[in-house]
Amino acid sequence: MNLIQVILPELILIGTACALFLMGIINKPAARRASALIALIALIVVFVMQFQGTDPTTHAMDSVSSDSSNTFRIFHFAQYIKLIASGVGILLLLLAWPTDQRATGNSALSFGEDASEFFALMLLAISGIFIVAGAND
């Protein structure tokens, strides 16, 4: 397995976060609502990828598969942590969903006009959890 295949979920989250940072310059309620939807779609895609991932025991004799430079590993505990982190991320994103008229938050949370940046930072935090879970050091 090459490194890109191993860290594909992290790359999806980081790429989506970069796009959300760029969406942050649009100061309209529709863009703020769209940023929440884009972040939710990215998290759902990563969550589903954890179920459809390859079984790590089929790639190596020692039940651990890694990239060619042994930087990241794919093993059951890392997949479990990534699954939990993406699931909790989906729940937290739904709790922070912008429901007011200007899409600046909801009754429990107000992130102002920085919704895109808020959701981008949430995705980056989750991708950091993914990187730590799969690190081989």
Side-chain angles (χ1 to χ4, degrees):
M1 286 186 118
N2 63 12
L3 185 61
I4 301 297
Q5 290 174 334
V6 173
I7 63 169
L8 186 61
E10 292 88 346
L11 291 177
I12 290 171
L13 292 178
I14 292 170
T16 305
C18 290
L20 289 176
F21 278 128
L22 291 175
M23 277 184 65
I25 60 174
I26 303 171
N27 195 13
K28 296 186 179 198
R32 290 191 285 271
R33 285 188 185 91
S35 65
L37 182 64
I38 291 169
L40 181 65
I41 291 171
L43 280 172
I44 289 173
V45 165
V46 169
F47 186 79
V48 169
M49 285 177 66
Q50 299 309 311
F51 280 118
Q52 295 179 347
T54 57
D55 183 22
T57 58
T58 61
H59 290 292
M61 300 281 256
D62 60 351
S63 78
V64 174
S65 177
S66 64
D67 63 306
S68 60
S69 61
N70 290 325
T71 307
F72 288 93
R73 298 187 309 168
I74 299 175
F75 54 103
H76 293 293
F77 186 68
Q79 286 181 334
Y80 178 69
I81 295 297
K82 290 180 181 185
L83 185 69
I84 288 176
S86 58
V88 169
I90 290 170
L91 292 175
L92 291 176
L93 192 139
L94 291 174
L95 286 172
W97 197 267
T99 57
D100 63 354
Q101 189 174 14
R102 295 187 55 228
T104 58
N106 55 33
S107 62
L109 176 71
S110 176
F111 39 76
E113 296 179 353
D114 300 325
S116 296
E117 290 87 353
F118 177 81
F119 293 117
L121 290 172
M122 183 183 286
L123 292 182
L124 288 177
I126 294 169
S127 66
I129 294 169
F130 280 23
I131 290 171
V132 169
N136 193 19
D137 191 356

